[in-house]
Amino acid sequence: MLAFIGRRIAISFLILFGSSFLVYNMEAIAGDPLASLAESSARNKAYLISRLTAQLQLDVPPPARYFIWLKGVFSIFIGHLDFGKTRAGGSVLELIGAAVPVTLRLVTAATVLAIVLGISIGVLSAIRQYSRLDYSMTFVSFLFFSLPVFWIAVLLKQYFAIGFNDFLASGQVTMPFMIGIPLALGLIIAGFIGGERRRFWISYGLAAVGLFALLILLNLINWFQSPGLGIVLVFLFSAGAGIVIAGLNMGFEHKTARKAALTVAAIGAVLYYPFNLIPGEWLNLGLVALLGVISIVVGVFAAGAWAKEDRSALRRIGGLTAFFTGLILILDKLMQVWNPYVNSDAISGRPVPTISAANDLLSTNNYWWQLLDVLLHLLLPTLGIMLISFAGYVRYARSSLLEVMNMDYIRTARAKGLTERTVVVRHALRNAMIPLTTLIAFDLSGLIGGAFITEAIYGWKGMGTIFLQSVSNQDLNLLMGVFFLTSFLAVMGNLLADLAYSALDPRIRIGK
Amino acid sequence: MTEKNSTVSNTADSSIEMKETAGLSQGQLVRKRFFRHRAANISLAYLFLIVLFVFSAGGIHLGSKDAPFTIPGWWHLTINDMSQVSITHSPSGQLLIGAPTLDLNPFDGNGISVGAHPFGQDTIGHDYFSLVIRGAQQSIMVMLVVGLIGGLMGTIIGAVSGYFRGLTDSVLMRFTDLIITIPTVIIGSVIGSRLGNLGVFPLALFLGLFAWTGLARLVRGEFLTLREREFVDAARVAGASAGRIIFKHILPNAMGVIIVSVTLLLSGAILLETALSYVGFGVQSPDVSLGTLISQYQDSFQASPWLFWWPGFFIISIALSVNFVGDGLRDAFDPRQKRKLSRKDLAQAKQVEKN
């Protein structure tokens, strides 16, 4: 095993060496960094050219210059990594160091959401193969698959940001939307409920009427201008989440599981007022994360206390329920600061931004305000990235699960008399997820460089932006820095994917 | 209930499937299954119509700048023709600059009419219809060239390394890994920014040179399994050469994998080209592509949304229909694929079981 990993790493470095050599020379030969200077009409043109030549060592032919660059990279072994200098004279490493967190912030939420949503919808679509839901999800995922990201970004800006901000000015849902939203959403809800044609239309009608009534109610209490959930809804939502989690894990008929989940949700509701008393100024990301961890631990033990058997499953339910309860509490808190945030001078009533990563005008040390600001800036780019990468996961999850469902051991499991839930969740899903881990590992490694168009559109100064800049300025060192980091991560992701695959699937033996 | 149904459908499936497949060749079977996939059929026809429309309207322009070879299309304007920008008012009184004259509503008294500028005009008076048509031609060209080159290279490299194994395989696969580590956007931007001004053909050519890696891996895997099968042994014993075994015996069996992943390559290529053109590294200025059109006019979405909708419509139509055709082909080539049984089939099967 160790020998295998060692050999793989050695080969990976050889590959990195080869590809960086290739890219360096391709770019060095194709793009002349002096071209823009040669065309300029500056009086000290000759001086500028000779200075840039000396600075970037352009007098050395590219293949040899590559090794000067490589020497800088290898000096990581003596403690300081050196990617050289940009044209402007700055350190490439510093630029990249500043860009990576920006990109990570942009893509993390989008990727996690895309994976979770994509896999769940793909699984649902496979379980109900050839149903209305399956056909419409196939169509939708193909549609998203074919959308150019820059095109959807313009649409999102227009309808989600500008349109939504205009709507917020009044805060009242107008009649066309009042009718249109229930009709459209009802279709989706009924599609997920499924069933025969009669049942479909009944659930459609009920959902549409219910949504219509809900919108009227929300209009009446002016909910969209000062939203909030309150303790009752917080409890109901977390109880609902808990029941679903318990049902998926141990079956909807399992009483202890349900009790355990409800206990955790009740604890969340009890903590509602204490949680709301904490001033936002005291909090920061670390503290909130700590609170989250504590609540998950509490959830694990509270649920575990119910256990006579299956302790670990109950604990899992408790932890997951606590996690979602915490999210709902945070959501409620954000809704409470929504109204003052929107009406503050920095925002002045137009909360959904179309550009940049944070509002510079906003000066506050209240954590919830900062969080809301960051989340709103993430909204459009996250939606754009998510819609497009989500489609791939739906397709993969669907075909992977369908493949597993045809296996003999699934028939055996059914023949033993196991419930359909156990067959799907325990037997099929686990095996269907194995090929997906490879995909996920590979995708995660491609994240850093993958969002360059989204970054350009929304004006985030991340890896993509500096990469585009480096290509158009013929800034070879900067380009190589970005390239090296992305391909290094790609190689490592590949290795991790292989290792994960062999760990999850005992039939795969590596290292032979 | 579901379980009972599935046993019925299993036996029904196999009997129906048996009856249907009796006496048909592999190609006939695939064709038959493909033409049963309704979405794929519609998409194929639609794609064909779009390509026909785009190339007949805009004409075909080949050759260099000095020695052009042109077949004119049926649309009388070209991307260089300029005319006065029309200024009209919308029914609600909004000022419209260069509004589309296409009228598809037969009930408004004027009937269906095309008008002088069906897709409108851009801000300086170019006919937008010819711009979009030209852009779509470029995108389709890139798509086809990338698909052709990527498909050929991927198939050959994968086939050779899967068939010969050993040292050849190691070298070729390490080379594939090497190309895979270079992210597509990086390679595309570097190529596009340096070669984009040469025209769309060299751009597509070079993009194709880097687009074969995924396919090569798939084909190699397929060849590794297929080369162990009896019919390959039989061919070898009969004295067939390596080339003959690869191309005549194994390749036809691996065709499914190849065709499906080439269609994915095609739809990926059109999105890559438009994305590169959008950030300015693809097709360069005097020439247009669907990506450059969107990037140029995205800010005028408020005033003249048609400048944004039409190129997007063509990108999505082409990519979507290619994807659907690919899906249909995947189903058609997959022998384990069971089709959905109609009510009639199920009733028949139940009848058979009873007797």
Side-chain angles (χ1 to χ4, degrees):
Chain A
M1 184 71 177
L2 274 180
F4 168 78
I5 297 176
R7 206 174 62 227
R8 274 296 301 267
I9 289 180
I11 292 179
S12 303
F13 275 103
L14 276 181
I15 286 171
L16 270 184
F17 169 74
S19 61
S20 57
F21 185 76
L22 197 69
V23 172
Y24 194 97
N25 286 294
M26 240 170 55
E27 174 64 14
I29 293 166
D32 179 11
L34 297 175
S36 58
L37 277 179
E39 284 167 11
S40 82
S41 54
R43 277 172 56 195
N44 55 355
K45 191 163 119 178
Y47 167 70
L48 287 178
I49 289 180
S50 70
R51 206 188 61 165
L52 194 66
T53 309
Q55 182 194 334
L56 300 176
Q57 289 160 307
L58 296 177
D59 43 351
V60 182
R65 215 182 329 143
Y66 170 77
F67 287 98
I68 301 178
W69 177 84
L70 194 66
K71 197 178 131 223
V73 177
F74 269 125
S75 54
I76 190 168
F77 293 113
I78 56 169
H80 72 105
L81 181 60
D82 181 17
F83 277 136
K85 298 238 180 289
T86 64
R87 278 183 73 153
S91 155
V92 170
L93 194 62
E94 269 171 33
L95 264 178
I96 290 180
V100 168
V102 178
T103 300
L104 278 184
R105 196 207 280 183
L106 177 72
V107 294
T108 313
T111 313
V112 172
L113 280 175
I115 291 175
V116 172
L117 276 181
I119 291 183
S120 359
I121 291 183
V123 165
L124 209 58
S125 183
I127 294 175
R128 300 213 206 131
Q129 196 187 7
Y130 301 136
S131 66
R132 262 182 304 264
L133 179 80
D134 186 28
Y135 283 127
S136 30
M137 278 304 142
T138 303
F139 181 77
V140 166
S141 58
F142 273 130
L143 182 67
F144 287 157
F145 216 59
S146 322
L147 285 180
V149 64
F150 49 89
W151 196 78
I152 193 115
V154 176
L155 284 188
L156 284 175
K157 276 186 181 181
Q158 179 65 27
Y159 295 108
F160 233 82
I162 300 176
F164 188 70
N165 286 337
D166 288 346
F167 153 73
L168 273 184
S170 76
Q172 295 285 322
V173 184
T174 51
M175 219 25 180
F177 283 99
M178 203 84 131
I179 296 167
I181 293 175
L183 286 184
L185 266 183
L187 211 58
I188 296 174
I189 294 174
F192 275 104
I193 293 173
E196 287 296 308
R197 191 164 296 164
R198 207 177 108 82
R199 199 178 139 191
F200 175 81
W201 288 112
I202 291 176
S203 42
Y204 178 50
L206 287 178
V209 171
L211 282 168
F212 184 70
L214 182 69
L215 282 180
I216 290 181
L217 181 73
L218 293 179
N219 254 354
L220 282 178
I221 60 172
N222 214 358
W223 191 82
F224 289 104
Q225 284 195 324
S226 44
L229 293 176
I231 185 164
V232 178
L233 280 181
V234 165
F235 174 70
L236 284 182
F237 281 155
S238 33
I243 288 175
V244 171
I245 292 167
L248 286 180
N249 269 293
M250 298 180 77
F252 284 96
E253 68 291 336
H254 201 293
K255 278 209 186 88
T256 323
R258 204 177 338 159
K259 274 185 205 156
L262 288 179
T263 316
V264 176
I267 295 177
V270 169
L271 289 176
Y272 178 80
Y273 287 113
F275 176 70
N276 271 305
L277 282 178
I278 306 174
E281 286 77 14
W282 292 7
L283 291 171
N284 55 41
L285 182 62
L287 269 180
V288 173
L290 186 69
L291 280 181
V293 171
I294 292 175
S295 59
I296 290 176
V297 171
V298 169
V300 165
F301 282 103
W306 283 97
K308 294 188 188 69
E309 52 191 4
D310 284 338
R311 188 176 296 271
S312 63
L314 279 172
R315 285 187 164 162
R316 192 168 59 230
I317 292 172
L320 282 171
T321 312
F323 177 72
F324 281 101
T325 309
L327 281 189
I328 292 168
L329 278 173
I330 291 176
L331 182 71
D332 177 67
K333 190 73 206 175
L334 289 177
M335 285 180 172
Q336 289 175 30
V337 297
W338 172 265
N339 191 19
Y341 171 84
V342 170
N343 293 319
S344 66
D345 289 336
I347 310 300
S348 69
R350 301 194 74 78
V352 184
T354 54
I355 203 148
S356 91
N359 192 331
D360 299 328
L361 295 174
L362 193 72
S363 59
T364 170
N365 54 359
N366 186 324
Y367 179 70
W368 302 118
W369 281 54
Q370 290 165 0
L371 185 62
L372 189 59
D373 190 57
V374 168
L375 288 181
L376 283 173
H377 280 89
L378 272 174
L379 185 67
L380 294 192
T382 300
L383 269 177
I385 301 176
M386 198 186 81
L387 286 184
I388 285 164
S389 53
F390 147 93
Y393 285 111
V394 173
R395 298 306 297 164
Y396 272 106
R398 178 178 180 273
S399 60
S400 170
L401 187 63
L402 280 181
E403 179 122 18
V404 171
M405 291 296 265
N406 276 332
M407 294 280 169
D408 286 342
Y409 59 80
I410 296 296
R411 199 181 325 168
T412 311
R414 285 208 177 108
K416 283 195 296 189
L418 297 181
T419 58
E420 192 61 22
R421 182 194 66 83
T422 320
V423 172
V424 172
V425 177
R426 289 268 172 84
H427 295 247
L429 202 53
R430 290 188 181 184
N431 288 302
M433 288 303 108
I434 294 174
L436 275 167
T437 45
T438 338
L439 184 71
I440 291 173
F442 203 72
D443 265 18
L444 288 180
S445 62
L447 279 184
I448 294 274
F452 78 123
I453 290 187
T454 314
E455 283 182 14
I457 294 169
Y458 293 105
W460 287 55
K461 299 222 173 346
M463 291 291 276
T465 314
I466 62 174
F467 168 68
L468 290 181
Q469 208 182 333
S470 73
V471 176
S472 43
N473 291 348
Q474 273 118 10
D475 203 336
L476 186 52
N477 282 339
L478 190 55
L479 184 131
M480 285 309 290
V482 177
F483 164 74
F484 192 78
L485 187 65
T486 46
S487 50
F488 178 77
L489 288 174
V491 168
M492 286 299 127
N494 221 340
L495 177 62
L496 278 183
D498 278 1
L499 292 180
Y501 209 109
S502 75
L504 290 170
D505 189 344
R507 285 171 304 182
I508 309 266
R509 287 272 160 263
I510 52 172
K512 63 166 175 153
Chain B
M1 170 65 193
T2 37
E3 267 147 51
K4 197 181 148 206
N5 247 344
S6 71
T7 48
V8 169
S9 65
N10 270 346
T11 48
D13 247 11
S14 39
S15 61
I16 293 172
E17 203 82 355
M18 291 282 217
K19 207 167 31 175
E20 278 183 351
T21 53
L24 293 180
S25 75
Q26 170 81 15
Q28 283 168 322
L29 276 178
V30 167
R31 227 169 297 138
K32 202 171 165 191
R33 281 200 222 111
F34 180 78
F35 285 120
R36 224 159 40 197
H37 196 298
R38 210 183 307 148
N41 283 320
I42 297 172
S43 302
L44 189 63
Y46 183 67
L47 191 64
F48 183 71
L49 283 181
I50 282 196
V51 172
L52 199 69
F53 178 75
V54 159
F55 280 95
S56 67
I60 294 166
H61 306 272
L62 293 171
S64 65
K65 228 172 260 167
D66 310 318
F69 171 76
T70 312
I71 304 171
W74 51 258
W75 185 245
H76 59 283
L77 294 169
T78 67
I79 57 172
N80 299 320
D81 290 333
M82 279 196 345
S83 56
Q84 190 79 37
V85 185
S86 77
I87 295 177
T88 50
H89 291 273
S90 73
S92 58
Q94 198 194 348
L95 187 69
L96 294 176
I97 297 170
T101 53
L102 185 66
D103 182 7
L104 289 176
N105 180 3
F107 304 113
D108 60 355
N110 307 329
I112 297 178
S113 63
V114 173
H117 302 290
F119 291 180
Q121 287 167 294
D122 73 357
T123 38
I124 49 172
H126 287 117
D127 175 44
Y128 207 55
F129 181 78
S130 29
L131 284 174
V132 171
I133 291 296
R134 175 74 179 156
Q137 285 188 356
Q138 304 285 45
S139 298
I140 293 173
M141 276 274 281
V142 173
M143 182 175 93
L144 291 181
V145 173
V146 169
L148 190 71
I149 294 180
L152 272 181
M153 282 187 71
T155 309
I156 291 173
I157 292 179
V160 167
S161 82
Y163 181 77
F164 289 107
R165 296 191 299 191
L167 186 66
T168 327
D169 181 33
S170 303
V171 172
L172 283 176
M173 278 303 114
R174 291 300 83 76
F175 180 60
T176 313
D177 286 344
L178 192 151
I179 303 289
I180 279 184
T181 48
I182 310 178
T184 331
V185 290
I186 291 199
I187 211 75
S189 313
V190 172
I191 294 170
S193 67
R194 308 294 174 249
L195 297 175
N197 52 359
L198 295 184
V200 66
F201 200 72
L203 176 73
L205 209 73
F206 275 88
L207 285 180
L209 285 183
F210 288 89
W212 50 269
T213 49
L215 180 65
R217 280 185 162 185
L218 280 178
V219 173
R220 170 179 173 266
E222 200 67 14
F223 264 67
L224 282 177
T225 3
L226 286 174
R227 77 186 296 284
E228 306 297 334
R229 299 268 289 273
E230 289 82 356
F231 66 87
V232 177
D233 283 341
R236 206 173 291 138
V237 171
S241 67
R244 189 176 168 83
I245 294 178
I246 290 179
F247 290 108
K248 282 273 171 180
H249 295 270
I250 307 185
L251 200 61
N253 286 289
M255 226 40 208
V257 173
I258 295 173
I259 289 181
V260 170
S261 93
V262 166
T263 53
L264 287 180
L265 194 65
L266 292 179
S267 68
I270 194 166
L271 291 179
L272 178 67
E273 182 273 325
T274 49
L276 288 178
S277 300
Y278 175 82
V279 290
F281 296 151
V283 173
Q284 301 287 324
S285 174
D287 213 336
V288 291
S289 112
L290 295 177
T292 58
L293 287 177
I294 292 184
S295 128
Q296 214 170 336
Y297 299 117
Q298 56 177 336
D299 294 328
S300 44
F301 184 81
Q302 296 268 0
S304 23
W306 55 90
L307 296 181
F308 170 81
W309 285 113
W310 283 113
F313 168 77
F314 273 92
I315 298 179
I316 295 171
S317 313
I318 296 169
L320 189 62
S321 43
V322 171
N323 273 330
F324 265 113
V325 172
D327 191 49
L329 285 170
R330 178 179 21 232
D331 284 0
F333 275 108
D334 186 357
R336 284 166 309 174
Q337 188 74 34
K338 290 184 203 138
R339 76 175 162 119
K340 187 189 181 187
L341 292 172
S342 65
R343 291 219 170 93
K344 206 177 98 196
D345 291 338
L346 274 176
Q348 250 178 6
K350 270 181 195 153
Q351 201 62 39
V352 171
E353 270 210 339
K354 264 184 210 158
N355 296 338

